[in-house]
Amino acid sequence: MRMQIAFRETDETRSGYRVAIAGGVIETSPENRLNYDECRMGFRLSFREDGVPSSVFCDRTPVRLPSDVPLVLDACTLEDLLACQMDRYRPSDFINAEFAMRETALEASGPGSTVYAFSGFVYLDRGETLSYSEACQLASRPGLGDDAMFFSGILGQDFRPEIGEIDVVEEMHGVPMGGLLQKPWWGFGEEAHSLPGTMRRGNYEQIERFEQLHFADRDPAEDLEYNRLLDRMRYLGTANMLNDPILERYIQTRRSAPDFRSPYLPVPYSAMFTRQDALDTLVTGLIGATPKF
């Protein structure tokens, strides 16, 4: 098992522990037959004197996310669950973190492995130091099983030097926690990726299919599929372009570009779409939509 993790500071306390928010991705090994999708699980994190995590112990007892939370699990993100009133692990010397996990479309580093996104809380005892600037990677060691992962290095330095040194605090300034996994830092394959978010994987696949059909010349069967998906988009709150002609034109222009990569799938670092790219696309779309006299 391997983990990439970053943290965000809070002003909260719980049961005498300081509370931090954690997010990142976990890759299971081929030998790990447990399914962590739509589950939460307890962990034990230890830290070095400089606040970087030195080890993570996983209790490997995934518990299904409760269906009675005051959110619709089908539509919410993992970050939505952070503010949700639900039964949680009581922090102790044995378990000082709890993460909710969902399967992603990130390609694993080898066959038989799965990559999950996670988000949750870490509880810090008095005197414990946690670094919020680094995103770190930890990994199991041969012969020790998947229960324990140990510090392997820092993203942007020891791993993924091509993305440059990362200051998570600076990069996340003014960004909600849901934006963490949308940074192009994550994954265990040949290249770092950004994720579309932490809704269920199938939701992103449906959004992508809806946009494909929206801009296509549909046959009757596709019209039926489109209308079913339209109801689904309204339910998910992802049909904004239907009420915003400028947004609709922008999306159409972007999707027609030869270098288009769906934002609803993991996007590799080398194909990241910058703010300047987005501005150029918007201008092109608006010019194309302007009547000529």
Short mmCIF file of all heavy atoms in Angstrom, two decimals, residues 123-147:
data_model
loop_
_atom_site.label_atom_id
_atom_site.label_comp_id
_atom_site.label_asym_id
_atom_site.label_seq_id
_atom_site.Cartn_x
_atom_site.Cartn_y
_atom_site.Cartn_z
N TYR A 123 -5.90 13.87 14.25
CA TYR A 123 -5.99 14.43 15.60
C TYR A 123 -4.60 14.45 16.22
O TYR A 123 -3.94 13.41 16.35
CB TYR A 123 -6.97 13.60 16.44
CG TYR A 123 -8.33 13.47 15.80
CD1 TYR A 123 -8.74 12.26 15.23
CD2 TYR A 123 -9.19 14.55 15.73
CE1 TYR A 123 -9.99 12.14 14.62
CE2 TYR A 123 -10.43 14.44 15.12
CZ TYR A 123 -10.84 13.24 14.57
OH TYR A 123 -12.07 13.13 13.97
N LEU A 124 -4.15 15.65 16.60
CA LEU A 124 -2.79 15.86 17.08
C LEU A 124 -2.76 16.02 18.58
O LEU A 124 -3.49 16.84 19.15
CB LEU A 124 -2.19 17.11 16.42
CG LEU A 124 -2.17 17.09 14.89
CD1 LEU A 124 -1.82 18.46 14.35
CD2 LEU A 124 -1.17 16.04 14.40
N ASP A 125 -1.91 15.24 19.23
CA ASP A 125 -1.73 15.33 20.67
C ASP A 125 -0.91 16.57 20.99
O ASP A 125 -0.22 17.14 20.13
CB ASP A 125 -1.02 14.07 21.19
CG ASP A 125 -1.28 13.84 22.66
OD1 ASP A 125 -1.89 14.72 23.31
OD2 ASP A 125 -0.86 12.78 23.17
N ARG A 126 -0.95 17.00 22.27
CA ARG A 126 -0.14 18.13 22.70
C ARG A 126 1.33 17.83 22.44
O ARG A 126 1.82 16.73 22.73
CB ARG A 126 -0.36 18.41 24.20
CG ARG A 126 -1.71 19.01 24.52
CD ARG A 126 -1.73 19.51 25.97
NE ARG A 126 -1.49 18.40 26.91
CZ ARG A 126 -2.46 17.66 27.42
NH1 ARG A 126 -3.71 17.90 27.08
NH2 ARG A 126 -2.18 16.68 28.26
N GLY A 127 2.01 18.79 21.90
CA GLY A 127 3.43 18.62 21.63
C GLY A 127 3.74 18.05 20.26
O GLY A 127 4.90 18.09 19.82
N GLU A 128 2.74 17.51 19.57
CA GLU A 128 2.99 16.98 18.23
C GLU A 128 3.04 18.12 17.22
O GLU A 128 2.22 19.04 17.24
CB GLU A 128 1.89 15.99 17.81
CG GLU A 128 2.11 14.58 18.33
CD GLU A 128 1.16 13.59 17.70
OE1 GLU A 128 -0.06 13.86 17.68
OE2 GLU A 128 1.63 12.53 17.26
N THR A 129 4.02 18.06 16.34
CA THR A 129 4.19 19.06 15.29
C THR A 129 3.81 18.46 13.95
O THR A 129 4.18 17.33 13.64
CB THR A 129 5.66 19.54 15.23
OG1 THR A 129 6.02 20.11 16.49
CG2 THR A 129 5.86 20.57 14.14
N LEU A 130 3.08 19.21 13.14
CA LEU A 130 2.67 18.76 11.82
C LEU A 130 3.05 19.82 10.80
O LEU A 130 2.72 21.00 10.97
CB LEU A 130 1.16 18.50 11.78
CG LEU A 130 0.53 18.14 10.43
CD1 LEU A 130 1.23 16.96 9.79
CD2 LEU A 130 -0.96 17.86 10.59
N SER A 131 3.74 19.43 9.76
CA SER A 131 4.10 20.35 8.69
C SER A 131 2.96 20.41 7.68
O SER A 131 2.51 19.37 7.18
CB SER A 131 5.39 19.89 8.00
OG SER A 131 5.64 20.71 6.87
N TYR A 132 2.52 21.62 7.37
CA TYR A 132 1.43 21.81 6.43
C TYR A 132 1.92 22.21 5.04
O TYR A 132 1.12 22.37 4.13
CB TYR A 132 0.48 22.89 6.96
CG TYR A 132 -0.18 22.50 8.27
CD1 TYR A 132 0.35 22.93 9.49
CD2 TYR A 132 -1.30 21.68 8.28
CE1 TYR A 132 -0.24 22.56 10.69
CE2 TYR A 132 -1.89 21.31 9.47
CZ TYR A 132 -1.37 21.75 10.68
OH TYR A 132 -1.94 21.37 11.86
N SER A 133 3.23 22.34 4.87
CA SER A 133 3.78 22.84 3.60
C SER A 133 4.07 21.73 2.61
O SER A 133 4.01 21.96 1.40
CB SER A 133 5.07 23.63 3.87
OG SER A 133 4.81 24.76 4.67
N GLU A 134 4.42 20.54 3.09
CA GLU A 134 4.83 19.47 2.20
C GLU A 134 3.70 18.48 1.91
O GLU A 134 2.89 18.20 2.79
CB GLU A 134 6.01 18.68 2.78
CG GLU A 134 7.31 19.45 2.86
CD GLU A 134 7.46 20.21 4.16
OE1 GLU A 134 6.61 20.01 5.05
OE2 GLU A 134 8.42 20.98 4.26
N ALA A 135 3.67 17.99 0.68
CA ALA A 135 2.87 16.81 0.33
C ALA A 135 3.83 15.64 0.29
O ALA A 135 4.87 15.69 -0.37
CB ALA A 135 2.19 17.00 -1.02
N CYS A 136 3.51 14.57 1.02
CA CYS A 136 4.47 13.47 1.24
C CYS A 136 3.96 12.15 0.67
O CYS A 136 2.76 11.96 0.50
CB CYS A 136 4.73 13.31 2.74
SG CYS A 136 5.41 14.79 3.51
N GLN A 137 4.90 11.26 0.43
CA GLN A 137 4.58 9.90 0.02
C GLN A 137 5.10 8.92 1.06
O GLN A 137 6.22 9.08 1.55
CB GLN A 137 5.17 9.57 -1.35
CG GLN A 137 4.83 8.16 -1.85
CD GLN A 137 5.00 8.00 -3.34
OE1 GLN A 137 4.57 8.86 -4.12
NE2 GLN A 137 5.62 6.91 -3.77
N LEU A 138 4.27 7.93 1.37
CA LEU A 138 4.64 6.85 2.28
C LEU A 138 4.33 5.54 1.59
O LEU A 138 3.44 5.46 0.73
CB LEU A 138 3.89 6.95 3.61
CG LEU A 138 4.09 8.25 4.41
CD1 LEU A 138 2.93 9.21 4.16
CD2 LEU A 138 4.23 7.98 5.90
N ALA A 139 5.05 4.48 1.98
CA ALA A 139 4.85 3.19 1.31
C ALA A 139 5.14 2.05 2.26
O ALA A 139 5.95 2.18 3.19
CB ALA A 139 5.76 3.09 0.08
N SER A 140 4.44 0.92 2.03
CA SER A 140 4.72 -0.30 2.78
C SER A 140 6.10 -0.84 2.38
O SER A 140 6.60 -0.56 1.28
CB SER A 140 3.65 -1.35 2.50
OG SER A 140 2.37 -0.89 2.87
N ARG A 141 6.67 -1.65 3.27
CA ARG A 141 7.97 -2.26 3.01
C ARG A 141 7.80 -3.75 2.81
O ARG A 141 6.93 -4.38 3.44
CB ARG A 141 8.93 -1.96 4.17
CG ARG A 141 9.29 -0.48 4.27
CD ARG A 141 10.15 -0.18 5.47
NE ARG A 141 10.49 1.25 5.54
CZ ARG A 141 11.06 1.82 6.59
NH1 ARG A 141 11.37 1.10 7.67
NH2 ARG A 141 11.33 3.12 6.56
N PRO A 142 8.60 -4.33 1.92
CA PRO A 142 8.48 -5.77 1.64
C PRO A 142 8.57 -6.60 2.92
O PRO A 142 9.42 -6.36 3.78
CB PRO A 142 9.67 -6.05 0.72
CG PRO A 142 9.97 -4.74 0.07
CD PRO A 142 9.66 -3.70 1.11
N GLY A 143 7.64 -7.54 3.03
CA GLY A 143 7.64 -8.44 4.17
C GLY A 143 6.91 -7.94 5.39
O GLY A 143 6.73 -8.69 6.36
N LEU A 144 6.46 -6.66 5.37
CA LEU A 144 5.79 -6.09 6.54
C LEU A 144 4.29 -5.94 6.34
O LEU A 144 3.60 -5.41 7.21
CB LEU A 144 6.41 -4.74 6.91
CG LEU A 144 7.88 -4.76 7.34
CD1 LEU A 144 8.35 -3.35 7.70
CD2 LEU A 144 8.09 -5.71 8.53
N GLY A 145 3.77 -6.36 5.18
CA GLY A 145 2.33 -6.29 4.94
C GLY A 145 1.87 -4.88 4.61
O GLY A 145 2.66 -3.94 4.51
N ASP A 146 0.55 -4.75 4.42
CA ASP A 146 -0.05 -3.46 4.05
C ASP A 146 -0.48 -2.63 5.25
O ASP A 146 -0.98 -1.52 5.07
CB ASP A 146 -1.28 -3.71 3.17
CG ASP A 146 -0.92 -3.76 1.69
OD1 ASP A 146 0.23 -3.43 1.36
OD2 ASP A 146 -1.79 -4.14 0.89
N ASP A 147 -0.30 -3.15 6.43
CA ASP A 147 -0.77 -2.42 7.62
C ASP A 147 0.03 -1.16 7.88
O ASP A 147 -0.50 -0.19 8.44
CB ASP A 147 -0.71 -3.33 8.85
CG ASP A 147 -1.59 -4.55 8.73
OD1 ASP A 147 -1.40 -5.31 7.76
OD2 ASP A 147 -2.47 -4.74 9.58
#
